[in-house]
Amino acid sequence: MNYPNLFSPLDLGHVTLPNRILMGSMHTGLEDKASDFDKLAVYFAERARGGVGLMVTGGIAPSIQGWLKPFGGRLSMPWHKARHRKLTHAVHAEGGRICMQILHAGRYGYHPLSVAPSKIKSPITPFTPRTLSSRGVERTIADFVRCATLARDAGYDGIEVMGSEGYLINQFIAERTNQRNDVWGGDAIRRMRFAIEIVRRTREAVGRDFIIIYRLSMLDLVEGGQDWSEIVTLAKAIEAAGASIINTGIGWHEARVPTIVTSVPRGGFAWVTKKLKGEIAIPLVTTNRINMPDVAERILADGQADMVSMARPLLADSQWPRKAAAGNAERINTCIACNQACLDHVFQNRRASCLVNPRACHETELKIEPATHRKRIAVVGAGPAGLACATTLAERGHSVTLIDQANEIGGQFNYAKQIPGKEEFHETLRYFRHRLIDTQVEVQLQKVADVALLQAVDYDEVVIATGVSPRTVSFPGSDDPRVLNYLDVLAKQRTVGARVAIIGAGGIGFDVAEFLVENPPSPATNVVRWTREWGVDMSLAQRSGLQLARPEAPSREVWLLQRSEGRPGARLNKTTGWVHRATLKAKHVIMFGGVRYDRFDDFGLHVTVEGKSQILPVDHVVICAGQEPRRQLADELIAAGIKVHIIGGADVAAELDAKRAISQGTRLACTL
Ligand code: FAD
Ligand code: NAP
Ligand code: SF4
């Protein structure tokens, strides 16, 4: 049997789960409108078919005050049940099981009706919450209980009580946010009462044959959070109150320690859950950065938890459990923890999707159906756009030839994978290598496509995915051999001196800076080193699990520069940009906005910043000033009268990322 621990059943008393895989709660944006529940039902049904043991929906508020945002998903009235029945029917029809997460946002509510134990604004929302009165607290507990009862009536197999990540229940538990002196505040025991009463009264209302998962904050990672003995006390009380499973929560949303981004080591917080093992008898779930079966199996085999929770990995590949069980882990489309299409979308009020799987949450609209007429199609360029396009075309039944001048597939992903903390890009390339074989794409490497080559075969369609070239920047001295671009550093492995200026502070400028300052191997490969660098106390002796961060000394002195005024990195992605900025700050990278590049010579790079000239005494300059589309072939083909489809960077280089490249390639392939 493959992964025997992962695929062993879990007996919960009234029900036995087929395996140890929990699809963790993930907001998709489809929970908020009744009219989107048909799409959500198809999304969950596909994942139930994929073999996941138990699923949890995105957070649903038990009341208007508990909304995450205005008019967000809510289950508080009998007529709300009908839409939820669509989900439970769809999942049960596939033999799956599903719990609904009850999430009261408390002071994280992005609306003026938010409430909290005390009137303390969160640093990440603009609204100051109203303090709940004693009657308000009782009413809120009743809201949770009513919501759970309605969820049971709607056919759910259980609920998850969201008690972590800094939401309302967590706000009651922590001194940081609870300054009450009634029975719901004061000492630690009184602050826990709200959570315990919710579980106790819910259990009384729903009966024994209904799963109650409690998501417990085991590592707050904010000042004024819980200490470990309080967490153990709470876990025991939650078990006694009737929970069936305890799930792990790591970090509040306002914490300044990254918890799920790609630079967090895989399974990097399972040790926290392990500390609770033996303290309680009910199953414990661990979570965060578990994305491949070997990681999950190791965690279970080491006795760190009884189940593993994965949310984004099942967005990336709905068939993850089936593939793992069949010994096909190399065919899993691995979540690279980029957040670019899931969390970043949700924060922008957009429907979630997935960078490596654009069908995620779009299952009803983006359908890969057999082609009605089999065509012969050439795809030029095996970067993300070309790979997605070629494999989708071939899956639909077309005869596809994929041509690339390089000696390996992947295009720019071959540079991205070298950045410390971006090792997951290797997985996407591994996935595509297998997909090319499975879909029988003919791959021609080390072959430059030109008009003659493409005319020599009678292709029905030609797709151009030739990508981008680095933009060149001219200033006096820019032709000096010590002035490089990012490809010289990442692809040609040119030696770079101890002091370096980077021109351009976009995504690639930041990545190159991290490449230059980090001491190999990447911190993302070592949990002990990573926790030391970010100030996470693995002994859990310190309250909230926080201790002084001790970043390693940088391996180089780096200046990161941009022409535009303002803070470099301000345009990086919402949920990951702060991590990149904090990483470089810890490595003493000097960042300047509003820079003019005057010249480069033996003294270094001469720049003008805010009207003042200065010399940066650097050995090398690395240009990361964006990219230009590589369109020459497309233009020549068009001039020769050949119709082409242009995708990815070759289409538009500005604002290009792999999310657009893969989505565009897949969408085009569905139409040819
Ligand atoms: P490319 O990846 O450029 O691929 C084009 C391919 O076409 C190449 O393999 C090339 O060899 C081939 N080709 C060109 N001309 C010919 C020809 N005439 N004949 C045959 N073959 C040809 N994006 C993100 O979304 N998230 C990230 O975190 C991220 N990090 C990055 C980090 C770095 C260091 C770099 C460099 C890029 C990063 N990117 C990231 C950007 C991402 O890699 C690109 O957006 C993506 O690769 C563009 O895909 P593409 O298929 O359009 O082009
Ligand atoms: P970019 O984000 O557009 O940044 C280019 C940088 O170069 C900017 O700082 C720009 O700012 C500067 N610049 C542009 N023209 C210049 C010129 N003529 N002279 C000097 N400086 C110039 O592009 P990128 O960093 O190359 O990244 C390419 C794409 O890859 C991005 O769109 C990004 O989405 C994607 N990517 C994403 C990630 C990620 O983590 N999500 C990581 C890497 C890459 P000024 O004009 O102000 O100087
Ligand atoms: Fe994972 Fe990125 Fe997809 Fe989100 S968008 S599920 S983080 S691969």
Side-chain angles (χ1 to χ4, degrees):
M1 190 199 208
N2 299 299
Y3 313 109
N5 289 286
L6 190 57
F7 290 102
S8 72
L10 181 65
D11 184 2
L12 294 179
H14 73 282
V15 62
T16 300
L17 303 178
N19 56 49
R20 305 303 178 101
I21 304 169
L22 179 83
M23 177 171 152
S25 176
M26 166 103 213
H27 198 75
T28 66
L30 292 172
E31 300 80 4
D32 300 333
K33 271 204 266 151
S35 56
D36 281 338
F37 270 62
D38 289 317
K39 295 187 182 106
L40 198 56
V42 174
Y43 161 83
F44 278 121
E46 189 167 310
R47 279 142 185 94
R49 245 188 337 273
V52 62
L54 181 63
M55 298 189 276
V56 183
T57 66
I60 302 291
S63 63
I64 285 176
Q65 288 98 323
W67 269 340
L68 208 45
K69 62 176 191 181
F71 308 105
R74 173 167 64 104
L75 177 57
S76 56
M77 295 294 169
W79 59 86
H80 291 154
K81 285 187 291 188
R83 68 188 74 154
H84 287 273
R85 278 205 188 95
K86 292 180 180 174
L87 307 189
T88 57
H89 282 168
V91 168
H92 293 154
E94 298 295 347
R97 291 193 174 78
I98 185 162
C99 294
M100 191 195 83
Q101 188 187 71
I102 307 180
L103 183 153
H104 191 305
R107 70 176 192 156
Y108 280 169
Y110 212 85
H111 55 84
L113 303 174
S114 64
V115 292
S118 303
K119 189 177 175 174
I120 307 170
K121 194 176 96 56
S122 97
I124 56 170
T125 36
F127 300 97
T128 303
R130 184 170 57 78
T131 304
L132 278 168
S133 64
S134 299
R135 278 177 62 193
V137 175
E138 286 290 346
R139 234 183 353 255
T140 308
I141 296 173
D143 290 342
F144 270 90
V145 176
R146 186 186 55 228
C147 185
T149 313
L150 291 170
R152 191 197 52 197
D153 294 349
Y156 283 107
D157 299 281
I159 49 142
E160 177 171 77
V161 176
M162 181 37 146
S164 65
E165 261 67 5
Y167 291 114
L168 181 74
I169 295 177
N170 221 176
Q171 292 159 26
F172 265 92
I173 292 167
E175 200 173 13
R176 173 185 182 82
T177 39
N178 183 344
Q179 294 174 356
R180 305 174 71 97
N181 44 28
D182 61 1
V183 294
W184 306 106
D187 61 17
I189 297 296
R190 292 217 300 251
R191 290 196 307 270
M192 290 174 200
R193 215 180 134 213
F194 181 67
I196 298 162
E197 281 305 301
I198 287 173
V199 175
R200 193 180 62 75
R201 294 187 206 176
T202 300
R203 177 55 80 200
E204 270 172 23
V206 296
R208 298 305 312 169
D209 56 348
F210 192 67
I211 301 169
I212 298 181
I213 308 170
Y214 181 86
R215 185 114 185 244
L216 192 143
S217 186
M218 293 188 202
L219 196 65
D220 290 327
L221 298 176
V222 287
E223 301 293 336
Q226 302 166 90
D227 81 11
W228 185 250
S229 66
E230 291 165 2
I231 289 167
V232 174
T233 305
L234 175 64
K236 288 181 173 170
I238 292 291
E239 176 179 29
S244 334
I245 295 175
I246 288 187
N247 191 1
T248 303
I250 301 288
W252 289 34
H253 286 319
E254 65 209 61
R256 296 330 269 168
V257 177
T259 55
I260 59 166
V261 302
T262 189
S263 54
V264 173
R266 285 180 173 189
F269 289 102
W271 56 271
V272 184
T273 316
K274 167 115 195 246
K275 297 239 179 198
L276 203 55
K277 284 280 283 179
E279 302 279 4
I280 54 168
I282 54 174
L284 267 173
V285 184
T286 196
T287 180
N288 288 46
R289 286 290 283 122
I290 301 165
N291 63 347
M292 286 300 277
D294 58 332
V295 184
E297 178 67 14
R298 183 173 32 79
I299 286 170
L300 296 174
D302 290 353
Q304 293 183 299
D306 304 292
M307 264 187 118
V308 292
S309 169
M310 292 178 286
R312 297 172 300 166
L314 285 141
L315 207 59
D317 194 332
S318 61
Q319 303 303 302
W320 193 110
R322 270 201 203 298
K323 290 180 185 175
N328 272 329
E330 68 279 7
R331 286 178 167 77
I332 288 175
N333 194 5
T334 306
C335 165
I336 59 172
C338 64
N339 287 354
Q340 285 176 240
C342 51
L343 282 184
D344 283 335
H345 277 207
V346 170
F347 275 98
Q348 294 159 4
N349 259 328
R350 295 169 62 193
R351 195 195 309 179
S353 188
C354 172
L355 179 142
V356 298
N357 172 22
R359 285 192 65 250
C361 304
H362 295 72
E363 288 80 5
T364 55
E365 295 124 314
L366 187 53
K367 293 185 181 161
I368 301 176
E369 289 170 333
T372 45
H373 169 60
R374 189 168 196 257
K375 294 180 183 172
R376 202 162 180 189
I377 303 178
V379 178
V380 182
L387 287 167
C389 188
T391 50
T392 309
L393 284 167
E395 184 180 343
R396 296 188 55 225
H398 293 303
S399 162
V400 183
T401 304
L402 177 65
I403 307 164
D404 201 295
Q405 63 193 20
N407 59 8
E408 56 183 339
I409 62 157
Q412 300 219 9
F413 266 25
N414 290 308
Y415 318 131
K417 72 186 184 191
Q418 296 176 44
I419 305 299
K422 284 200 169 176
E423 293 76 16
E424 296 290 359
F425 282 75
H426 282 281
E427 299 288 1
T428 309
L429 296 175
R430 180 263 309 146
Y431 164 75
F432 272 118
R433 271 194 291 277
H434 283 277
R435 212 160 125 72
L436 288 168
I437 296 167
D438 293 346
T439 55
Q440 297 179 359
V441 172
E442 185 198 340
V443 181
Q444 299 183 359
L445 294 177
Q446 293 181 293
K447 190 173 270 190
V448 179
D450 56 20
V451 176
L453 184 98
L454 293 166
Q455 273 178 332
V457 180
D458 192 16
Y459 291 115
D460 298 305
E461 310 274 2
V462 174
V463 179
I464 298 297
T466 45
V468 288
S469 317
R471 178 177 289 131
T472 51
V473 173
S474 283
F475 50 85
S478 61
D479 53 353
D480 189 292
R482 292 167 292 179
V483 178
L484 311 171
N485 69 29
Y486 66 87
L487 290 189
D488 295 322
V489 177
L490 298 175
K492 298 180 192 153
Q493 318 276 323
R494 291 276 301 272
T495 306
V496 181
R499 287 168 305 175
V500 185
I502 297 174
I503 290 185
I508 292 179
F510 267 78
D511 275 357
V512 169
E514 285 180 41
F515 179 82
L516 293 174
V517 294
E518 286 288 7
N519 295 292
S522 161
T525 57
N526 184 325
V527 177
V528 175
R529 178 178 162 199
W530 185 90
T531 49
R532 192 175 51 234
E533 291 220 50
W534 282 97
V536 179
D537 169 28
M538 286 187 86
S539 74
L540 295 181
Q542 305 296 321
R543 186 168 281 278
S544 304
L546 285 177
Q547 64 179 9
L548 192 68
R550 279 171 292 155
E552 283 177 12
S555 53
R556 286 187 184 78
E557 211 177 329
V558 170
W559 285 260
L560 182 57
L561 314 170
Q562 70 179 27
R563 294 174 307 177
S564 41
E565 298 287 344
R567 191 174 52 135
R571 289 199 304 271
L572 295 179
N573 297 341
K574 171 91 180 158
T575 63
T576 49
W578 69 271
V579 183
H580 293 296
R581 289 191 295 271
T583 302
L584 294 193
K585 199 169 157 207
K587 299 286 177 187
H588 312 300
V589 171
I590 300 166
M591 302 186 213
F592 288 146
V595 180
R596 197 180 71 207
Y597 310 112
D598 297 327
R599 68 178 188 282
F600 178 77
D601 59 23
D602 289 346
F603 295 101
L605 183 65
H606 299 245
V607 293
T608 304
V609 185
E610 291 174 359
K612 285 197 195 113
S613 305
Q614 51 178 296
I615 305 172
L616 310 179
V618 296
D619 309 304
H620 285 93
V621 172
V622 182
I623 296 177
C624 304
Q627 300 155 332
E628 306 286 358
R630 221 190 278 178
R631 284 189 77 122
Q632 192 188 336
L633 176 61
D635 293 342
E636 288 171 8
L637 288 166
I638 292 165
I642 298 173
K643 191 175 145 229
V644 294
H645 306 274
I646 309 174
I647 56 172
D651 177 28
V652 181
E655 313 267 307
L656 169 72
D657 61 7
K659 179 177 71 172
R660 170 154 67 78
I662 291 177
S663 170
Q664 206 181 359
T666 309
R667 283 167 201 280
L668 172 70
C670 288
T671 64
L672 293 183

